[in-house]
Amino acid sequence: IPLVDRDTAMRLGDRRLGSLTDLVSQFEVSPEYTQINIKAEPYRVTPLKYAGLFKWLNNFREGIPHYLQVNNVTGQVEVMTPDKPIRYSYADHFNRYIMRHLRFNYPFTLFDRPSFEIDDEGTPYYIATTFGRNFFLKEPEPTGLILVNAMTGDHQHYDLKDIPTWVDRVYPADLVLHQL
């Protein structure tokens, strides 16, 4: 049973990053904390972000080296290191800012704010649900999603029927509540 809520996960993540003296002066914890399942276990994951513009200038060539993974049952916080550093995120600027990267590659596609997720092997992704308009109801309707590899920027569009099984957030909660 998941016992750790979002606020507790944020406090645990901040405390864990504070104990890492080599990272705490350069990076902060992003407030994203997406709830996902990794190998049938509930977790909250969030990338690190640069601790300001000057920290970005000092570190953007290397990228963001880690993300945090909080176990929702035990409260254990792990600092995960992907194969390559994260180069596309909300903390980056210019063409590596995730929204700009998506907009340049999909200029006429309607999509929601991308959420940070990782696959079962630990590869970080940003996932943006794409929408089409239903003119009878005047409501956006999910049509698929775009997966962006946060390390390389590689992206792929999937229809709803072809979405990989590890993806947890296809339908945004706000849309589901609004439609209900």
Side-chain angles (χ1 to χ4, degrees), residues 16-36:
R16 179 69 173 121
L17 183 64
S19 69
L20 302 171
T21 56
D22 58 330
L23 294 176
V24 74
S25 65
Q26 300 296 313
F27 297 98
E28 297 173 348
V29 181
S30 175
E32 295 177 51
Y33 284 96
T34 308
Q35 184 169 339
I36 62 171

Side-chain angles (χ1 to χ4, degrees), residues 114-142:
S115 61
F116 182 79
E117 285 194 33
I118 59 171
D119 65 7
D120 289 337
E121 286 77 41
T123 305
Y125 287 91
Y126 276 94
I127 297 169
T129 303
T130 60
F131 296 96
R133 286 286 184 185
N134 183 338
F135 290 104
F136 294 112
L137 298 175
K138 296 184 181 178
E139 294 291 329
E141 209 141 312

Side-chain angles (χ1 to χ4, degrees), residues 62-126:
E62 289 83 28
I64 300 170
H66 308 288
Y67 62 87
L68 297 182
Q69 182 173 300
V70 182
N71 187 316
N72 281 355
V73 177
T74 65
Q76 179 183 359
V77 181
E78 296 178 67
V79 179
M80 306 300 288
T81 305
D83 297 336
K84 298 177 187 173
I86 296 170
R87 297 193 181 275
Y88 294 84
S89 69
Y90 288 108
D92 271 292
H93 299 284
F94 306 116
N95 290 340
R96 289 181 11 189
Y97 177 63
I98 189 65
M99 291 297 286
R100 181 171 290 173
H101 181 68
L102 278 167
R103 187 53 61 208
F104 281 158
N105 288 292
Y106 299 93
F108 302 109
T109 303
L110 297 173
F111 54 83
D112 196 23
R113 185 178 193 279
S115 61
F116 182 79
E117 285 194 33
I118 59 171
D119 65 7
D120 289 337
E121 286 77 41
T123 305
Y125 287 91
Y126 276 94

